[in-house]
Amino acid sequence: MRLTRTSKALGIVAIAALALTGCGAGGGSNDGGGQATGDPNKIITAYSNEPQHPLLPANTNEVYGGRVVELLFEGLRAYDPDGKPVNALAESIETTDSQNWTIKVKQGQKFTNGEEITAKTFVDSWNFAANSENLQNNGFFFESIAGYEEVSAVTTETSADGKTTTTPAPTAETMSGLEAKDDSTITVKLAQPEADWSLRLGYSAFFPLPSAALADPKAFGENPVGNGPYKMAKEGAWVHDQSISLVKNPDYSGPRESQNGGVTFKFYTDPGPAYTDLQSDNLDVTDVLPSNALKTYISDFPDRNATKPVATNSTLNIPGYNPNFQGEAGKLRRQALSYAINREEICKVIFSGTRTPAKAYAPPVIDGFKEGLKGSETLTFDAAKAKDLWAQAEAIQPYDNSKPLQIASNTDGGNKEWIDAVANGFKNNLGIQAEIQPFAKFAEVLDLRKSQSLPGLSRAGWQGDYPSLYNFLGPVWATGASSNYEKYSNPEFDQLLKEGLAAKTTEEANGKFNAAQEILFEDLPGLALWDQAKPIVWSNNVVKAETGWNGGIRYFDITAK
Amino acid sequence: MVRFILRRLLQVIPVFLGTTLLVYYMVFALPGDPIAALFGDRQPPQAVIDTLRSQYHLDEPFWVQYGLFLKNLFTFNLGNDFTGQPIAASLARIFPVTAMLAVEALVIEAVFGIAFGVFAGLRRGKWFDSTVLVASLVVIAVPTFVLGFVFQLVFGVQLGWAKPTVGATADWGNLLLPATVLGLVSFAYVLRLTRASVSESMTADYVRTATAKGLSRPRVVMTHILRNSLIPVVTFLGADLGGLMGGAIVTEGIFNVPGVGNKLYQATLRSEGPTVVAIVSVLVLVFVVANLLVDLLYAWLDPRIRYDQ
């Protein structure tokens, strides 16, 4: 009895002491050092979360599923760390007119279930992905191929209360422009010339699928069989809400040879616990840092962090339907807004250098990026100029100052700080009322953007699907494009994009795309804000890690100590 | 007795309907199209969105959706969540984890709470009693998430006694740290309830009689004081089990426990009505059953309480 009593009392004292000491504690110890002899059999653990769909390459369009799919499958091409495409399963990819393509597929390659990969494998997989009945999220990646319209056709019905619903109604099973000439040759005819078409062949939508996948996509998506540097560790290696375990595929021989024994993705609903796990070497690598760690991650993980620019940028979109931003006065006002944003300072102070001020509508890591495009001077901070332009606009047509200028954003993703800074810039330099229009969820903002009912500006971000200038312009700003929610339209811009796509060489194409950007700088349908750099940190078990051009960690390149 | 249990179980029906209706409505009222939100900035073809919407009956009015949910429930079909996974399978995965966590927390708070409470109650006003009272006040005052982070940092990162997070390896040992955090606040309440109850019984006539009869001190404490003092404590513990199951959200988040709290949090973020309601429904059942058990325990603790009259 006596003994228990004392030990209990001690326990309480201990708890109280911990509560006091806990707050002042710093990060873990870091002796780093040691011989960096890689262990090629060690399994790496990595931050992730539950994928949102079964693991089918053409269906996976979110990051957590995407990173797994990219390791399980290998396409015709792959991207090197700088985003330069290299041939993987493709022996050669040729065209003379940017419209008719001939692809030679390497022979003797197999899926891990032994099924051989031929030209037909690709043709079947692509037709499957494009078919609207299969509801593949990335189906639209095949829209350039002749015959896509028929395979992906839908019917739209309008119900009595005015709601429209779209249902799949393909009129053909296969795309007319896609053919397997023999076991090793694919011919592709595009609906129109597209110079950068082959750049996208490393994207996951274009990965080959074994016949089992086409027969039962849902079951296959649970236990996918691929041809990439890794394979699923076993049947049921995806433990829902917990983890996915991949092991090295010993038969793989491609440009992405794995340097470790496997990758286990551990699921976290919040980056905080993962950061703690990394500090105690309970997790090996993360690409998602809690927002409060942005200022401390370098000191928490000295010699165990990297921050590399990636192909992701942010813009502030200005709706054309807002009367304040229409006509000649509107144009001056859009310029004034752009000059009134201190991008340099916001990047440094709020983003701790993990973002860099935008220089154009595409980030610098993209091939063909050019600095100093005509009109890009609007991206510099110039309070006097902003004030002056605003005054000029006032002279033409007075600004309706009855309501503050709102910047719509979801507030759950750490956006509030920079929006407040931007709004303050507008207030101080233009003398107008500006504020954040907060939404609990991203989906709300998206709904309102789609229906064009946001009163003011909204933030948007774009992550490149494949390393091409066009990918940062076409889907976002072309007339009627899928992500052009504010419905910006300029025929001259569309024409330049089209000419760029039809160009014979990449240089020529990029020239057109840069000319198209100059039109955006003239019209300013949105203000380019900044380009992202992706910070990652790793544990003491890992020698080094690196992100690729799109910000994804190159898991296969990680060597373990 | 049987009639009493039956009556109690019948009460579950209105409680169940009311709660699910309310929760379902609240999720339904959340703004934003949950299907569109699945895809972020880059939207899939409209046909994908529309087909998914009709698959999940999101294009139907609220009453139809709720009716379908109830209909499915009575045919033991919980449907699929937005990621296409069967909800039933996911419940089967997450509930055992949270149940383990809650039971472990309950055992910790009951064993330590009652033990500390009895010692403090028996020595009312002595230094041990005062220390325990002050300490329990501190524990009650500190929010769970602070306790969670401190424990994680100290025991997980700095001392390395336990893994800082649980993750996929949720067993009794790994859950000890989060269970301690989860149980600590209730521990303080159990302690204070027990202490008050015990010190009150100390002065009761039957205790004096028992002591006067020459019964040993442990005997008096165990059979006479404790049994009578436990009624309010048991009530609290029963109600707390339900609370622990549902209230694990913060703790599960901090320690990355793949349980009910984490799932509920994510499902709410995604406006996944069916998943949220399915989880809440089970929580309601746990609550009701726990309270039923408490009522039955009364009869054992105090035979004067009879249910079948």
Side-chain angles (χ1 to χ4, degrees), chain A residues 69-79 86-90 106 108-112 117 207-208 226-231 247-260 554 556-557:
Chain A
V69 161
E70 279 175 19
L71 295 181
L72 287 176
F73 292 88
E74 178 91 316
L76 291 167
R77 309 187 94 177
Y79 303 110
V86 289
N87 283 348
L89 283 197
K106 262 184 207 156
Q109 299 289 316
K110 287 188 169 86
F111 290 107
T112 51
I117 302 168
F207 289 164
N227 59 329
Y230 295 91
K231 56 180 184 177
V247 292
K248 187 173 177 164
N249 172 8
D251 302 326
Y252 175 84
S253 62
R256 299 186 296 155
E257 184 80 47
S258 138
Q259 305 299 312
N260 49 57
R554 295 170 69 82
F556 55 88
D557 256 348

Side-chain angles (χ1 to χ4, degrees), chain A residues 8 12 18 25 49 52 137 166 222 240-241 267-269 273 277 280 441 443-444 447 450 461 463 465 485, chain B residues 31 33 37-39 41-43 48 50 83 85 93 116 154-155 158 164-165 253 256 262-263 266 269 271:
Chain A
K8 290 292 176 333
I12 283 176
L18 289 175
N49 201 348
Q52 291 184 357
N137 291 320
T166 317
E222 284 291 308
H240 288 280
D241 298 319
F267 299 168
Y268 292 85
T269 43
D277 267 352
S280 46
K441 288 154 69 192
E444 282 181 82
D447 275 358
K450 272 187 190 165
Q463 182 181 13
D465 300 306
Y485 298 119
Chain B
D33 176 356
L38 270 183
F39 300 101
D41 256 330
R42 202 178 345 243
Q43 296 291 290
V48 174
D50 286 346
T83 65
Q85 299 300 323
R93 239 180 353 252
F116 276 49
V154 174
F155 296 112
Q158 293 182 330
T165 66
N256 198 42
N262 257 339
K263 189 78 181 175
Q266 282 208 314
L269 276 190
S271 302

Side-chain angles (χ1 to χ4, degrees), chain B residues 273-284:
Chain B
T275 313
V276 174
V277 181
I279 293 176
V280 172
S281 309
V282 181
L283 288 179
V284 169

Side-chain angles (χ1 to χ4, degrees), chain B residues 94-119:
Chain B
I94 59 173
F95 264 98
V97 176
T98 301
M100 270 163 78
L101 180 65
V103 167
E104 199 165 342
L106 195 75
V107 169
I108 292 173
E109 72 180 59
V111 170
F112 288 94
I114 293 174
F116 276 49
V118 169
F119 285 120

